[in-house]
Amino acid sequence: MLTYTEPQRTPGPSASPLPRHIAVIMDGNGRWAQQRGLPRLAGHRAGTENIHRVVRATLERGVPYLTIYAFSTENWSRPREEVRGLFGILAEVIHRETSALHKQGVQIRHLGSLEGLPAPLRGSIVEAIELTKANRRLVLAVAFNYGGRREIVAAVQRIVREGLSPEEITEELVSARLSTDGLPDPDLIIRTGGEVRLSNFLIWQAAYSEYYATPTLWPDFGPEDLAEALAAYCQRQRRFGGLAGPPTQPAPLPTA
Ligand code: IPE
Ligand code: IPE
Ligand code: MG
C-alpha cells in the first residue's frame, strides 16, 4: 500500500529544472489485467503498447534520456509461460516500432544482459541498436534482463580482467564499466503500480535520483501522469549533500 504523499511545496529559486534523464519502473501490468479478468499477458501487451505514448510525451517535453525497466533478472522466477510470453511481446514491439522510433530520432540502447534470451529476440535488439545508434534526439534505454547487482558484479569482473591497480579505481571508472556508460545518472525515477522500492533497478546510478511513486498501473500511465510527475520533480530541491541556497565555498579537506 502506498503511504507516501508528495508534500506541498512552493517552488522557490532553487526548484529543479526539467530532468535530463527520466527512468521508469513500469509496474502493475499483471494487476491491470487481473482487474479486467484477463490473463497476465494481456496486461503485458497493454503495458508494452503504452511505452509508445510515454515516449511521445517525453519527446514533446524535450527530455533527452528515458530509461524503461521492462524485465529484471529476478523476473526469470515467474512461470515459464509468462516469461516466454514477455519475450514474444518484446520481439513483436521491436519489430513494429523500431522504424518509427528511428524516424523520430530515437536512439535505442539496451541495459542488462542478452545472455539467456531467445536468439531471434537477441537479434532484433542488436539490429535496433545498430540502426538507431547515430540518433541524438532521445536516448531510449531499455532495461531488459537487467539487474543492478549483476551489472555491478560484471563491472568488477571487467576491472579485474583489465588488471587495474586499486589507485586507478574511481567512481568515474566504475560508472564507465556499467551498461549505462555515457548516460547521465537518472534525475527522476518514476515507479507505477504503487510499490515504493527499486527492485534492483539502477542501484548505483540512483544515488541522488528523485523518486516519484504513483498508484496508477503502468498500462494506464499517460501524458497527464507524466506531467504530474514532472511537476512534482520541478518543486523538489536537490541538495546533493550540501545546504539549501546558493553554493558556498567548500570546506578544505582535512590534512593527514
Ligand atoms: C511489470 O508488471 C512488468 C514486469 C515486471 C515484467 P508486473 O507483471 O510486475 O505487474 P504486477 O506487479 O504483477 O501487477
Ligand atoms: C520491477 O517490477 C521490475 C520491472 C518493472 C521490470 P516487479 O514486479 O518485478 O517488482 P517486485 O517483485 O514487486 O519488487
Ligand atoms: Mg510487479
Side-chain angles (χ1 to χ4, degrees), residues 156-167:
V156 173
Q157 289 171 337
R158 279 181 67 185
I159 291 168
V160 171
R161 260 187 243 116
E162 288 168 30
L164 293 169
S165 65
E167 297 72 35

Side-chain angles (χ1 to χ4, degrees), residues 26-32 40 44 70-71 75 78 82 86:
M26 308 185 292
D27 196 19
N29 295 347
R31 280 163 284 165
W32 184 92
R40 290 180 59 84
H44 291 312
F71 188 82
N75 289 146
R78 295 190 179 196
E82 180 167 344
L86 266 163

Side-chain angles (χ1 to χ4, degrees), residues 24-29 31 40 68-75 78 143-144 146 191-192 195 197-201:
V24 187
I25 303 175
M26 308 185 292
D27 196 19
N29 295 347
R31 280 163 284 165
R40 290 180 59 84
I68 51 177
Y69 199 13
F71 188 82
S72 74
T73 45
E74 289 70 32
N75 289 146
R78 295 190 179 196
F144 195 91
Y146 174 88
R191 181 163 187 148
T192 63
E195 313 295 352
R197 55 176 170 253
L198 274 179
S199 302
N200 205 10
F201 185 47

Side-chain angles (χ1 to χ4, degrees), residues 135-214:
N135 294 337
R136 291 290 174 267
R137 191 168 161 214
L138 170 70
V139 173
L140 174 64
V142 184
F144 195 91
N145 195 17
Y146 174 88
R149 287 187 174 181
R150 185 178 292 182
E151 180 184 43
I152 292 170
V153 168
V156 173
Q157 289 171 337
R158 279 181 67 185
I159 291 168
V160 171
R161 260 187 243 116
E162 288 168 30
L164 293 169
S165 65
E167 297 72 35
E168 289 174 289
I169 297 166
T170 59
E171 291 186 10
E172 290 70 29
L173 182 120
V174 173
S175 293
R177 299 298 182 279
L178 300 173
S179 59
T180 47
D181 179 31
L183 305 180
D185 285 342
D187 299 294
L188 171 63
I189 297 183
I190 298 173
R191 181 163 187 148
T192 63
E195 313 295 352
V196 189
R197 55 176 170 253
L198 274 179
S199 302
N200 205 10
F201 185 47
L202 300 178
I203 54 177
W204 168 280
Q205 300 86 342
Y208 268 102
S209 302
E210 296 293 327
Y211 290 88
Y212 181 85
T214 168

